[in-house]
Amino acid sequence: MPVHVEHEQFQQIGERLLNAMDANNTERVQEILNQDLSAVDIAHIIESTPSKRRADIWKFLSESQKGEVISHLSDDLQLHYLTKMSPEQVLEAIQDLDSDDFADVLQQLPETNRIAVLHSMEPEDRREVEELLAYPEDTAGGLMNPEVLTIRANVTLDVVLRYLRRQSDLPDQFDSLYVVNRNDQLVGTLPLHALLLGDPDTTVREVMNSDIEGIPAASRDSDVAKLFANHDWISAPVVDEKGKLLGQITIDDIVDVIREEADHTVMSMAGLDEDEDAFAPVWSSAKGRAVWLGLNLLTAFIAALVILNFEDAIAMITALAVMNPVVASMGGVAGSQTLTLVIRAQATGKINASNYLWLLGREFGVGLINGFLWAIVTAFVCWLLFSNVQLAIVSGIAILANITIAKISGALLPVILEKLKIDPALSGSVILTTVTDAVGFFTLLGLATWYLL
Amino acid sequence: MPVHVEHEQFQQIGERLLNAMDANNTERVQEILNQDLSAVDIAHIIESTPSKRRADIWKFLSESQKGEVISHLSDDLQLHYLTKMSPEQVLEAIQDLDSDDFADVLQQLPETNRIAVLHSMEPEDRREVEELLAYPEDTAGGLMNPEVLTIRANVTLDVVLRYLRRQSDLPDQFDSLYVVNRNDQLVGTLPLHALLLGDPDTTVREVMNSDIEGIPAASRDSDVAKLFANHDWISAPVVDEKGKLLGQITIDDIVDVIREEADHTVMSMAGLDEDEDAFAPVWSSAKGRAVWLGLNLLTAFIAALVILNFEDAIAMITALAVMNPVVASMGGVAGSQTLTLVIRAQATGKINASNYLWLLGREFGVGLINGFLWAIVTAFVCWLLFSNVQLAIVSGIAILANITIAKISGALLPVILEKLKIDPALSGSVILTTVTDAVGFFTLLGLATWYLL
């Protein structure tokens, strides 16, 4: 597999590919695809190419390449290509994949296509894959690869070494052997270096690492990712309720989980699908974004309706129309800082019953401090603009109230939403801005009506 | 190292610890810290604990525990504890760390403390660490660990195996040996499984993987992370300009890089420091947030000043004060969707000269489609609210203009900012909302003045 250390270098090759395609220089294209680029690189180029041109690249790929490439594409693109292929083509394309990647790809297919592919498989391969498909994609079972090397505790390292030499090929990223009893229950692991360091005549039991617990197949993938990060694992065994060894999870799958989690937070805070294809055609992109905009229009109107009740105030002091968005936007930003902080703390498992109240109080304090600071500044600027002391005071108080309430809302929302099984990263920001807008408008215009008219 | 598979289970232990501390049950606390929790878990608990209580936990840690724990704390907390310790204490605490982690910790210290610690070290250890400190933290050189096992190509696998058995201990996460020539230049790698599978009498040269290029020590850590993710590496060699082997990077460091990148995007989009301590005291948190709020106040006023020029319009048609924030907020959300998408595409290296114009055009199309859709809806709702057809038309046109301009700005901003060496994730959102507010206010009020008055 070729290695492209520098991002720039990789981009140059990508552009040479597109140029060769424009020039219809078939040999050149073939050469670049087969020699200069790995399957991962090709997947990356396809994802970075406007939808129309993707088909051109796809045509040049060999069946075996297609499988490798598909396994590295984002879910929606996998579906796009797989649904265009016959069950036989799909099978031929993905047959060389590790069975966990194989299962992940099948999981993208619609029920009927998936069954068709499974039917065209050898019985025992098919059984293995079906077992994998039984686990949800986002669990340890969905991440694991059933191909593991198991040994017994009572054999000597020398026997193990000879056994390994007889293996035709070993799982990739294979750093330890799993020791099981006669019921296939995990009793320990034998790291390769222990195998190498140990005296050939010692038994596995003497050198194996036996204080390891297997990961239950039902564990959430995010929990598994935390374990890998915390314990610097390269691979870990997966077991069922009875402690029976089912397979192993390797670090490469974990890196994907971490990347996806990150994408999810960033993208969903802007109301985008974490898997949103950056180069999807206009129409499908427009559809994807419309829902969120519609939701925001609804909430924006709800917030703006508050203004309706104060038309007299605005008619008399049009300066209020100027201060309105200022007060609202300060609340919005102050709230989103807290919202983001709390959502990240949730994602990294740093929030629990014992520290949450403290956090809430801290944000209240932060709100008061920043509220007072910016209330004074706002009042001053407002006075400069309109040389109206009462209006300046009212604006200042409105800023103080809105920032403080925004901080508290930002800290409460994610926890409430999680309790309601609603994703805070997705819905938090739109709800928060509605609150901060409404509170902002209400405090400013309400105070003005009561105090200035 | 104990393993806590379930997040809940871990939280329970954390709470038992705090309870034991409240009860001043020293033995119990010691027992939990030494038996139930790993250094990573303790670091996690400290980061999840309000600042006051952290000191109590810290008191209970042994010197050696402190080092392990410190190496897993976030940068600002590392600094907090290290600066309180004497050079000797620091050295005693971190002496057992791998030299790359050792160097990372030292990098947190102020110049003077760092030199003091280095002076209290053995000359050759010190030289090794100083070499590491020469590389910036965010480069391959800063990530690498110089402790690698090197072999020559002309020896037999049997010799290598005996050589390994003589090693007192092997680097952790060690999956391959590095083959170098007499000038210490990297000529290939010998994966452990190749060593295990191969016939003991074959030479290293026959089985080694020789098409691997070392990573230049100056490569950016984000590029290195992409390489690891793309090629499913567990470790990779780092070389200097002459191809001399300097050390190796292991996947555990890469997982940290990926996590930090994710945090950076999410946090900085809300104007927070990616390393922001979720449980810092009120005052330091307030300071950290103030700058961002001040910046927003400035931009909010700049945007709101647009309204100033249309006081007559608002005085006559106060309904404009209601429609104002609606138009502005639709632009804000539409723009932030594009902004987020483009920033993520930049972070994953999917944007380049050849596809950017297409992306820009696509976003323009998406803007037009969504603009028309929500213009019609807005106009209708506006007509329901104020039964004023002209105002409804004006509001609709303003929404269309603002959404379309917002989409284009959202696609242009990140690329312009990157050219200006300004972090798009950090400054993108605040600049964008200023644009969308100003454009929103201007189109709505401008059209109203021209068409309605």
Side-chain angles (χ1 to χ4, degrees):
Chain A
M1 193 192 277
V3 175
H4 308 298
V5 171
E6 289 308 330
H7 179 58
E8 292 63 31
Q9 187 185 339
F10 167 66
Q11 290 209 331
Q12 287 157 16
I13 297 177
E15 296 186 8
R16 263 193 275 127
L17 176 69
L18 296 178
N19 297 337
M21 282 168 50
D22 295 337
N24 293 316
N25 181 339
T26 315
E27 304 75 38
R28 189 87 190 78
V29 173
Q30 296 287 14
E31 180 191 322
I32 297 175
L33 286 177
N34 298 328
Q35 288 155 44
D36 303 353
L37 294 170
S38 67
V40 185
D41 299 330
I42 297 173
H44 188 98
I45 288 177
I46 289 178
E47 287 184 343
S48 320
T49 306
S51 39
K52 283 205 194 55
R53 305 208 51 178
R54 287 171 176 167
D56 311 334
I57 303 178
W58 192 250
K59 281 203 309 288
F60 283 104
L61 300 179
S62 68
E63 285 309 311
S64 60
Q65 264 181 320
K66 283 179 182 172
E68 260 292 301
V69 171
I70 282 181
S71 71
H72 292 293
L73 286 172
S74 62
D75 295 356
D76 52 354
L77 282 175
Q78 287 190 354
L79 183 60
H80 172 75
Y81 287 113
L82 290 171
T83 43
K84 287 182 178 172
M85 298 160 80
S86 72
E88 292 68 26
Q89 286 172 312
V90 173
L91 190 58
E92 186 184 353
I94 66 178
Q95 63 195 355
D96 299 337
L97 298 177
D98 293 342
S99 51
D100 57 339
D101 298 334
F102 189 99
D104 292 344
V105 172
L106 281 191
Q107 227 136 18
Q108 300 307 322
L109 279 175
E111 190 66 19
T112 49
N113 310 40
R114 192 186 310 142
I115 291 165
V117 175
L118 286 169
H119 276 296
S120 54
M121 288 178 69
E122 299 298 324
E124 76 273 13
D125 302 354
R126 176 179 164 181
R127 209 169 299 110
E128 189 179 79
V129 173
E130 280 174 333
E131 276 168 18
L132 281 176
L133 287 171
Y135 298 102
E137 213 183 347
D138 61 351
T139 63
L143 289 171
M144 76 182 177
N145 181 342
E147 290 144 16
V148 289
L149 289 171
T150 60
I151 51 174
R152 290 302 185 79
N154 53 9
V155 299
T156 66
L157 299 188
D158 187 50
V159 173
V160 176
L161 280 171
R162 280 192 270 104
Y163 162 72
L164 283 179
R165 295 218 177 87
R166 282 200 307 277
Q167 298 296 318
S168 57
D169 73 318
L170 298 173
D172 41 340
Q173 295 196 325
F174 143 82
D175 70 325
S176 48
L177 294 144
Y178 296 105
V179 189
V180 294
N181 62 21
R182 69 166 51 75
N183 307 326
D184 287 330
Q185 287 166 316
L186 182 73
V187 296
T189 62
L190 180 65
L192 282 199
H193 49 78
L195 178 58
L196 288 162
L197 285 179
D199 164 2
D201 301 331
T202 57
T203 67
V204 169
R205 179 172 284 102
E206 294 170 75
V207 292
M208 74 181 188
N209 165 10
S210 53
D211 75 356
I212 181 140
E213 317 160 20
I215 298 175
S219 306
R220 290 207 351 269
D221 57 359
S222 52
D223 287 336
V224 178
K226 285 200 194 83
L227 282 171
F228 269 77
N230 289 354
H231 302 290
D232 294 350
W233 288 338
I234 292 166
S235 63
V238 178
V239 296
D240 66 12
E241 315 72 48
K242 298 184 188 56
K244 181 163 172 293
L245 180 67
L246 299 173
Q248 73 168 348
I249 297 175
T250 47
I251 188 83
D252 56 324
D253 305 310
I254 295 306
V255 170
D256 297 341
V257 171
I258 293 172
R259 282 195 179 283
E260 279 162 21
E261 275 191 337
D263 290 355
H264 173 76
T265 318
V266 185
M267 300 293 267
S268 52
M269 286 191 89
L272 295 161
D273 177 356
E274 72 204 80
D275 211 47
E276 168 118 9
D277 170 8
F279 292 93
V282 177
W283 186 243
S284 65
S285 307
K287 269 186 302 182
R289 321 271 183 91
V291 187
W292 194 248
L293 283 162
L295 191 60
N296 179 71
L297 184 60
L298 176 69
T299 57
F301 264 115
I302 293 170
L305 287 181
V306 173
I307 303 174
L308 257 185
N309 310 320
F310 301 99
E311 290 199 66
D312 317 352
I314 292 171
M316 284 189 181
I317 311 158
T318 52
L320 288 171
V322 178
M323 297 313 296
N324 239 343
V326 176
V327 173
S329 107
M330 284 305 275
V333 170
S336 78
Q337 288 180 324
T338 307
L339 184 76
T340 307
L341 192 71
V342 173
I343 287 176
R344 283 305 294 171
Q346 278 178 325
T348 50
K350 290 211 184 102
I351 287 196
N352 53 52
S354 66
N355 61 23
Y356 180 63
L357 274 179
W358 184 92
L359 186 66
L360 205 57
R362 200 277 308 273
E363 287 306 306
F364 178 68
V366 173
L368 282 179
I369 293 170
N370 273 301
F372 271 112
L373 172 61
W374 301 116
I376 292 159
V377 177
T378 307
F380 179 68
V381 176
C382 180
W383 174 73
L384 287 181
L385 285 174
F386 308 104
S387 49
N388 175 335
V389 177
Q390 287 93 329
L391 179 64
I393 293 168
V394 165
S395 307
I397 297 172
I399 287 270
L400 170 60
N402 203 19
I403 288 184
T404 312
I405 294 170
K407 290 276 177 199
I408 297 169
S409 319
L412 285 173
L413 257 180
V415 176
I416 295 168
L417 290 171
E418 209 180 35
K419 285 256 179 302
L420 300 173
K421 302 261 177 295
I422 302 170
D423 178 0
L426 180 60
S427 46
S429 56
V430 71
I431 300 176
L432 180 73
T433 45
T434 315
V435 173
T436 52
D437 283 355
V439 171
F441 299 151
F442 183 80
T443 45
L444 179 66
L445 300 175
L447 283 166
T449 318
W450 168 75
Y451 180 66
L452 301 178
L453 303 183
Chain B
M1 190 191 278
V3 175
H4 310 298
V5 172
E6 289 309 330
H7 179 59
E8 293 62 31
Q9 185 185 344
F10 167 67
Q11 289 209 331
Q12 288 157 12
I13 298 176
E15 295 185 9
R16 264 194 273 126
L17 175 68
L18 297 178
N19 297 338
M21 283 169 51
D22 295 336
N24 293 315
N25 182 341
T26 314
E27 304 75 38
R28 188 87 190 79
V29 174
Q30 296 287 13
E31 180 191 321
I32 296 175
L33 287 176
N34 298 329
Q35 288 155 42
D36 303 352
L37 293 170
S38 69
V40 185
D41 299 330
I42 298 172
H44 188 97
I45 287 177
I46 289 178
E47 288 184 342
S48 320
T49 306
S51 38
K52 281 203 194 57
R53 305 208 52 179
R54 287 170 175 168
D56 310 335
I57 303 178
W58 193 249
K59 282 204 308 287
F60 283 105
L61 300 179
S62 68
E63 284 310 312
S64 60
Q65 264 181 322
K66 282 179 182 171
E68 260 291 302
V69 171
I70 282 180
S71 73
H72 292 293
L73 286 172
S74 64
D75 294 358
D76 52 353
L77 283 175
Q78 288 189 351
L79 183 61
H80 171 76
Y81 287 113
L82 290 169
T83 44
K84 286 183 177 171
M85 301 160 78
S86 72
E88 293 67 26
Q89 286 172 312
V90 173
L91 190 58
E92 186 185 352
I94 65 177
Q95 64 194 353
D96 300 336
L97 298 178
D98 293 343
S99 53
D100 57 338
D101 299 334
F102 188 100
D104 292 344
V105 172
L106 281 191
Q107 227 134 19
Q108 300 308 323
L109 279 174
E111 190 66 19
T112 49
N113 309 41
R114 191 188 312 142
I115 291 165
V117 175
L118 285 169
H119 276 296
S120 54
M121 288 177 68
E122 299 299 324
E124 76 272 14
D125 302 355
R126 176 179 163 180
R127 209 168 300 110
E128 188 180 79
V129 174
E130 280 174 334
E131 276 168 19
L132 281 176
L133 288 171
Y135 299 102
E137 213 183 346
D138 61 351
T139 63
L143 289 172
M144 76 181 177
N145 181 344
E147 291 145 15
V148 288
L149 289 171
T150 60
I151 52 174
R152 290 303 185 77
N154 52 10
V155 298
T156 66
L157 299 189
D158 186 51
V159 173
V160 176
L161 280 169
R162 280 191 272 104
Y163 163 73
L164 283 180
R165 295 218 179 88
R166 282 201 308 278
Q167 298 296 315
S168 55
D169 73 317
L170 298 173
D172 42 341
Q173 295 196 327
F174 141 82
D175 70 324
S176 49
L177 294 143
Y178 297 104
V179 189
V180 296
N181 62 21
R182 68 166 52 76
N183 307 324
D184 287 332
Q185 285 165 317
L186 182 72
V187 296
T189 62
L190 180 65
L192 283 198
H193 49 80
L195 178 58
L196 288 162
L197 285 179
D199 163 4
D201 302 330
T202 57
T203 68
V204 169
R205 178 170 285 102
E206 295 169 74
V207 293
M208 74 181 187
N209 165 10
S210 53
D211 77 355
I212 181 143
E213 317 160 20
I215 299 174
S219 307
R220 286 195 8 260
D221 57 0
S222 51
D223 288 334
V224 178
K226 285 200 194 81
L227 281 171
F228 268 75
N230 289 353
H231 302 289
D232 294 350
W233 288 338
I234 290 166
S235 64
V238 178
V239 296
D240 66 10
E241 314 73 46
K242 299 182 189 59
K244 182 165 171 291
L245 180 67
L246 298 173
Q248 74 169 346
I249 296 175
T250 46
I251 187 83
D252 55 323
D253 305 309
I254 296 305
V255 170
D256 298 340
V257 171
I258 293 172
R259 281 194 179 282
E260 279 161 22
E261 276 191 338
D263 291 355
H264 173 77
T265 319
V266 186
M267 300 294 266
S268 53
M269 286 190 89
L272 294 161
D273 177 356
E274 72 203 77
D275 211 46
E276 169 115 10
D277 170 7
F279 292 92
V282 178
W283 186 243
S284 66
S285 308
K287 269 187 303 182
R289 322 271 183 90
V291 186
W292 194 248
L293 284 162
L295 190 60
N296 180 71
L297 184 61
L298 176 68
T299 57
F301 264 115
I302 293 169
L305 287 180
V306 173
I307 302 173
L308 256 185
N309 310 319
F310 301 99
E311 289 200 68
D312 318 350
I314 292 171
M316 285 191 180
I317 310 157
T318 52
L320 288 170
V322 178
M323 296 312 296
N324 238 343
V326 175
V327 173
S329 106
M330 283 305 275
V333 171
S336 76
Q337 287 179 324
T338 307
L339 184 76
T340 308
L341 192 70
V342 173
I343 287 176
R344 282 305 294 172
Q346 279 178 324
T348 50
K350 288 204 186 117
I351 288 196
N352 53 53
S354 66
N355 61 22
Y356 180 62
L357 275 179
W358 184 92
L359 187 66
L360 206 56
R362 202 273 311 271
E363 286 306 306
F364 179 68
V366 172
L368 282 179
I369 294 171
N370 273 301
F372 271 110
L373 172 61
W374 301 116
I376 291 160
V377 176
T378 308
F380 179 68
V381 176
C382 179
W383 174 74
L384 286 181
L385 285 173
F386 308 105
S387 49
N388 175 335
V389 177
Q390 288 95 330
L391 179 63
I393 294 169
V394 165
S395 306
I397 298 172
I399 286 269
L400 170 61
N402 202 20
I403 287 183
T404 313
I405 294 170
K407 289 278 179 198
I408 297 170
S409 320
L412 286 172
L413 257 181
V415 176
I416 296 169
L417 291 172
E418 209 180 36
K419 285 255 179 303
L420 300 173
K421 302 258 174 299
I422 302 170
D423 179 358
L426 180 60
S427 46
S429 55
V430 70
I431 300 176
L432 180 73
T433 45
T434 315
V435 173
T436 52
D437 283 355
V439 171
F441 300 151
F442 183 80
T443 44
L444 179 67
L445 300 175
L447 282 167
T449 317
W450 167 76
Y451 179 66
L452 301 179
L453 301 184

